[in-house]
Amino acid sequence: MIPYTAPVDDLRFVLNEVVGLDAIAALPNCESAAPDLVDAVLEEAGRFASGVLAPLNRVGDKEGSKLENGVVRTPAGWKEAYTQFAEAGWNSLPFEPEYGGQGLPWTVAFAVNEMWQAANLSFGLCPLLNQGAVDLLTEHGSAEQKSVYLSKMISGEWTGTMNLTEPQAGSDLAAVRTKAVRAEDGSYRITGQKIFITYGEHDLTENIVHLVLARLPDAPAGIKGISLFIVPKFLPKADGTPGERNDLRCASLEHKLGIMASPTAVMAYGDNGGAVGFLVGEENRGIEYMFTMMNNARLGVGIQGVAIAERAYQQARDFAKTRVQSKDLADGKGGPVAIIRHPDVRRMLLDMRAKTEAARALALFAGTQLDISRHHPEPAVRAAAAARVDVLTPIVKAWSTDIGCEVASTGVQIHGGMGFIEETGAAQHYRDARITPIYEGTNGIHANDLTFRKTGRDKGTSAKALIADMRATADALASLPGDDAVVIRNALNAGIEALEQAVAWVVATQAEGDLQGAAAGAVAYLRLWGTVAGGWMLARSAIKALEGLQRPGANASFLETKLVTARFYAEQILTPAPALLPTIVTARNTVMALSEEQF
Amino acid sequence: MIPYTAPVDDLRFVLNEVVGLDAIAALPNCESAAPDLVDAVLEEAGRFASGVLAPLNRVGDKEGSKLENGVVRTPAGWKEAYTQFAEAGWNSLPFEPEYGGQGLPWTVAFAVNEMWQAANLSFGLCPLLNQGAVDLLTEHGSAEQKSVYLSKMISGEWTGTMNLTEPQAGSDLAAVRTKAVRAEDGSYRITGQKIFITYGEHDLTENIVHLVLARLPDAPAGIKGISLFIVPKFLPKADGTPGERNDLRCASLEHKLGIMASPTAVMAYGDNGGAVGFLVGEENRGIEYMFTMMNNARLGVGIQGVAIAERAYQQARDFAKTRVQSKDLADGKGGPVAIIRHPDVRRMLLDMRAKTEAARALALFAGTQLDISRHHPEPAVRAAAAARVDVLTPIVKAWSTDIGCEVASTGVQIHGGMGFIEETGAAQHYRDARITPIYEGTNGIHANDLTFRKTGRDKGTSAKALIADMRATADALASLPGDDAVVIRNALNAGIEALEQAVAWVVATQAEGDLQGAAAGAVAYLRLWGTVAGGWMLARSAIKALEGLQRPGANASFLETKLVTARFYAEQILTPAPALLPTIVTARNTVMALSEEQF
């Protein structure tokens, strides 16, 4: 077993000091997020993640989930762990008390989600998607649908899935072909094949609630002709328990690079005449509803990036402290030392940690804005927060998952040859992480989303508002003493400057109608955003560390790590970021210059 | 089967236009490298790589090599392919005709090696290490050792291995514990365990020649007390055929992330009293000799980085041309198009190609310098070339393998969800590539080598000589017409400027005695070197393309791709490189700032 220790102190510091959980707890319907309760939740979740889920990560990778005679068997210990997970109420954290939820803010749920994903990414996917499904039905389901499904899904007795992709319809949902026809009883009959359905079939729960995109025969072509249906594995009986088996099955599971224990199903609907589906909301508005779930899942996947980075960091750190090899550079006469004494190993560990902490803080900051957008009494404040969430969602998804892959790769590297041996465990993180920049929209799609929908559409207004927040942090650093504050402030200001120019260029380029040119620079544009926003978060962390260090009785050692990590990020990661600006604006010179045949 | 087409046109262009094979063919003992013969070699090697080795890549990954009752079985088809490979003489390309070699320059051998590695990395490792072993014995073996072993290894009837690593001695060879004791007949008895021995046992040949580092009982402590031994699997009889089985065995094979078909063996020597070993050269000079093999293998592994990048590029390009998804941004009314029409997919493909071509040219340039260092009649020219090889070896090894991993990862990304499915094949490249920054010295070790041995030791003299070559290329661009030449020249000059400052800093920092500070910046220093040197190579490529485009009858389409690729590299990869300079010089501020307990 490869240990995982939930970073409860780090999470608490980010929640309380960096993103301001107190302000969230003061919002209507968020009162339960009192410091004591949140502390208890974090501690208890940490114990569950470390004690129950983490030990199953390796066995999950080795055994994988298997399809046998139409039944998907999760690995040994999986079902017991899930039952414990559900019984402890972990599915219900951020949901409405009316349906059995605990009414905690998403900010807290995000922090807890990180622990599940870090402990066991394959396991964590099941509740991650279930949360998105609950969010969707809470928002768009009918009263009856809520009464039948929500409490079961919030309790975790049933799980929800997301059925979008078809062989010809991946990023392009307009190409969905799965058919829905109206039945006489007001329900629908669904026929078609869906692929890449995470936990599309499993043995963890007595029922599975599929949320399926399909097209009615008379629907308009394209994206505006897609409807959303609830298609349960077992049709609920009048008493709410699972009844008749629906006409759907898992046709096969994919053989994947990683997340072996998470069953990725090909789902066949309607082999015997049509699966019974129940329309969510109105016909032809399915994509709109599904965006509720997708936005939720995108932030969730971004948190997976943070999580796998944390897990890889812990493993590499433990290895670096115990693996003895070569002399200390500072002591040519001594014997071999633990490799954490070697500067490049330190650099790698700090790089892993700095990226992880920056991405974590940004995800939790997005959580606060999500909570404000839902609960703040003033509409203008809600709208401003919603605009922040809109801008941040593609960044949290794509930047954090890129970081997850980079950090997992660095983790392998720190292990040297042992990193390439599967028994060590570092390689599993590297394999598992690799899906996160792909699913829930490839990171390229998110870069386009940031460029077009989130920057171009409002002519940079929301983007500039967020940048103004960053400026305020840079200004606040000016009043603090010491070299660290100067270095961090200068790096942040230079990053902000580049970001402002990039936003202006993105807006102008779209105004000129050069959509290809804007798209060519999109990934670098998102990378710049993530890097600067992450630097902003660590600047806030540094401010709190500097302030804290002046207080008697502070945990100086802990605060020092925050300060050094922030400075490392500023010098090693943020300082080079403005060099992305020329790559953003020049990509259009070459990207479309060759014909397809020249590739 | 996933096709691979050997990039013969690209290789020919680099050899003839960019690195100047004509000058190499004019050297004594390199005359066989006449254009016609080299062309024929490239074409024939390309056919063999594409037709025989590439189809075995996937089956190799699925089946892997297996240890059964002490015997390692390579995957189906492996042995037949190896026999064909050896019979066609592919092992013998760069070796002395005296022992059956073809006497071709290493420059040509490198180009051919790329094809083996691209077609099938797991297969290619066997001849890669054998070449290093041949190089070592050619340089340091006795006349008798050469007569017994060399012709067999050059013909490929026997293969050579490299036995350095032990559980406690990875990067730190001073810690080698394997014992050697003198026997009465002048041979030695070897006892100990070696790990991570590539092709340490296999069924491809009738004998295996292990080159083993071991320590005599009365040897000095540390690195200067290690001797090198030939330890054959079967002791050669007087007639040169394999005789009695030696006291060595494969104890187990590692279960790895990738290169599944390449058996990575734990080797046990002397279970029954001691394996018979024959000393190479003098006692206690083993490390010095082994460096011949390591330097050879390091360049070979760098070429693996190029190779896996090329392979991943080809696969992603083929996918991008056939996968239809989403509308063309430039044509909002049309239907879905092949994803190669999407700017970000193009950008990824160009990024893959630009990095691959830069790394390829740099490796082949290193090949020319290796040939000059061995064959040029003038000692001063040989010495200057040897100095270039010294500087370039860690760069080719580390930068190219980092690029191999990056490009393989981008290849996965272009495939979207399909990239994560093993059947697609993109994931195999991603897994296989990951070993290359680790073996033959981790890339961090090479960064230290570049920083200390290759820059600090001669106070930057060799580094500056290489930079002067780069300046000459930048100056040559000034006389060429058009915007492309201006852009490339400016980017190269800025890169050179940063590199000069970095060299000066590295030299000064070591002079001050701040070894930790120099080491903290080492990886970024190597990255800067690789990026600028790669840009230098593509600038030379651009010059030849611009000149060629002015000639009637030139292949304009081909030359245009070279020009666009060079400009893409200049704008997207080289332009941001100077931003590495501040990271090199500031790393020491933070890297050692925390205690081990704070991690």
Side-chain angles (χ1 to χ4, degrees), chain B residues 359-378:
Chain B
R360 169 184 293 137
L362 195 64
L364 294 180
F365 176 76
T368 64
Q369 300 308 303
L370 188 62
D371 288 320
I372 294 170
S373 77
R374 293 185 177 196
H375 298 293
H376 200 280
E378 291 176 39

Side-chain angles (χ1 to χ4, degrees), chain B residues 7-358:
Chain B
V8 173
D9 288 344
D10 282 341
L11 284 164
R12 201 174 356 229
F13 178 77
V14 176
L15 288 173
N16 295 335
E17 306 287 336
V18 181
V19 305
L21 184 61
D22 49 351
I24 303 305
L27 293 172
N29 296 316
C30 293
E31 299 84 356
S32 54
D36 282 2
L37 181 80
V38 171
D39 260 8
V41 166
L42 294 178
E43 293 286 354
E44 191 54 35
R47 268 193 293 275
F48 193 87
S50 306
V52 179
L53 301 184
L56 294 172
N57 194 42
R58 177 100 182 98
V59 66
D61 186 58
K62 283 180 84 163
E63 286 186 21
S65 281
K66 297 215 164 61
L67 177 65
E68 287 163 2
N69 304 320
V71 177
V72 170
R73 302 204 185 286
T74 54
W78 230 245
K79 188 170 164 56
E80 294 74 13
Y82 181 82
T83 304
Q84 273 186 271
F85 182 86
E87 285 175 357
W90 290 120
N91 268 306
S92 68
L93 236 54
F95 299 116
E96 293 181 12
E98 187 182 347
Y99 298 101
Q102 299 183 43
L104 278 165
W106 278 100
T107 310
V108 176
F110 281 8
V112 171
N113 283 352
E114 183 198 311
M115 302 188 211
W116 311 145
Q117 309 303 330
N120 193 327
L121 202 74
S122 283
F123 183 95
L125 269 165
C126 187
L128 187 158
L129 287 170
N130 185 53
Q131 275 191 349
V134 169
D135 209 26
L136 188 157
L137 288 181
T138 303
E139 190 89 2
H140 306 292
S142 68
E144 194 205 335
Q145 287 168 347
K146 287 186 190 181
S147 88
V148 174
Y149 297 99
L150 267 192
S151 62
K152 298 280 193 186
M153 291 163 77
I154 286 174
S155 70
E157 288 165 272
W158 301 356
T159 64
T161 74
M162 197 170 170
N163 282 244
L164 288 76
T165 305
E166 300 176 11
Q168 79 295 342
S171 301
D172 184 9
L173 291 174
V176 160
R177 283 187 203 145
T178 293
K179 279 185 204 157
V181 294
R182 298 177 192 91
E184 289 184 0
D185 61 359
S187 68
Y188 293 75
R189 295 296 169 273
I190 311 295
T191 317
Q193 193 194 61
K194 294 285 180 179
I195 62 169
F196 296 160
I197 308 309
T198 300
Y199 280 94
E201 178 59 42
H202 61 76
D203 57 2
L204 302 178
T205 56
E206 59 177 19
N207 204 1
I208 301 173
V209 181
H210 299 289
L211 296 174
V212 181
L213 292 182
R215 192 182 288 282
L216 286 156
D218 51 3
I223 206 87
K224 291 184 176 163
I226 296 170
S227 305
L228 176 64
F229 301 89
I230 298 171
V231 189
K233 178 177 170 186
F234 293 100
L235 297 165
K237 290 191 288 196
D239 66 358
T241 61
E244 199 186 335
R245 171 83 195 216
N246 206 347
D247 181 12
L248 60 89
R249 67 187 175 88
C250 170
S252 62
L253 294 183
E254 303 292 353
H255 175 220
K256 310 188 297 292
L257 173 62
I259 54 166
M260 302 299 191
S262 166
T264 303
V266 174
M267 296 299 296
Y269 290 91
D271 281 357
N272 300 306
V276 177
F278 306 102
L279 182 71
V280 176
E282 296 171 23
E283 290 180 354
N284 300 329
R285 293 181 59 188
I287 293 290
E288 181 189 330
Y289 308 144
M290 193 53 102
F291 259 103
T292 303
M293 181 161 185
M294 286 196 285
N295 281 327
N296 184 300
R298 284 165 177 188
L299 292 168
V301 169
I303 289 163
Q304 288 193 316
V306 177
I308 197 81
E310 172 69 30
R311 185 75 194 261
Y313 167 73
Q314 290 191 16
Q315 169 146 4
R317 176 202 61 198
D318 293 352
F319 183 83
K321 285 186 176 187
T322 50
R323 169 70 173 166
V324 171
Q325 196 76 176
S326 300
K327 291 179 184 177
D328 194 335
L329 267 179
D331 175 18
K333 286 180 192 155
V337 295
I339 63 171
I340 196 171
R341 298 277 287 276
H342 301 319
D344 186 52
V345 173
R346 286 278 177 114
R347 182 194 61 77
M348 288 192 273
L349 286 171
L350 274 169
D351 182 77
M352 295 170 85
R353 183 149 107 175
K355 286 175 176 167
T356 307
E357 293 194 1

Side-chain angles (χ1 to χ4, degrees), chain B residues 557-576:
Chain B
S557 172
F558 179 83
L559 295 173
E560 234 180 61
T561 67
K562 297 297 154 207
L563 198 55
V564 169
T565 304
R567 178 163 179 170
F568 177 92
Y569 187 99
E571 291 185 328
Q572 297 291 307
I573 300 167
L574 185 52
T575 295

Side-chain angles (χ1 to χ4, degrees), chain A residues 61-84:
Chain A
D61 186 58
K62 284 180 83 163
E63 286 186 21
S65 281
K66 297 216 164 61
L67 177 64
E68 288 162 2
N69 304 320
V71 177
V72 171
R73 301 204 185 285
T74 54
W78 229 245
K79 189 171 162 56
E80 295 73 13
Y82 181 82
T83 305
Q84 273 186 272

Side-chain angles (χ1 to χ4, degrees), chain A residues 70-72 149 158-159 161 199-212 230-236 242-250 267 269 275-276 278:
Chain A
V71 177
V72 171
Y149 296 99
W158 300 356
T159 64
T161 74
Y199 280 93
E201 179 58 43
H202 61 76
D203 58 1
L204 302 177
T205 55
E206 60 177 18
N207 204 1
I208 301 173
V209 181
H210 300 289
L211 296 173
V212 181
I230 298 171
V231 189
K233 179 177 171 186
F234 293 99
L235 296 165
E244 200 187 333
R245 172 82 193 216
N246 206 346
D247 180 13
L248 61 89
R249 67 187 176 89
C250 170
M267 297 297 298
Y269 290 91
V276 177
F278 306 102

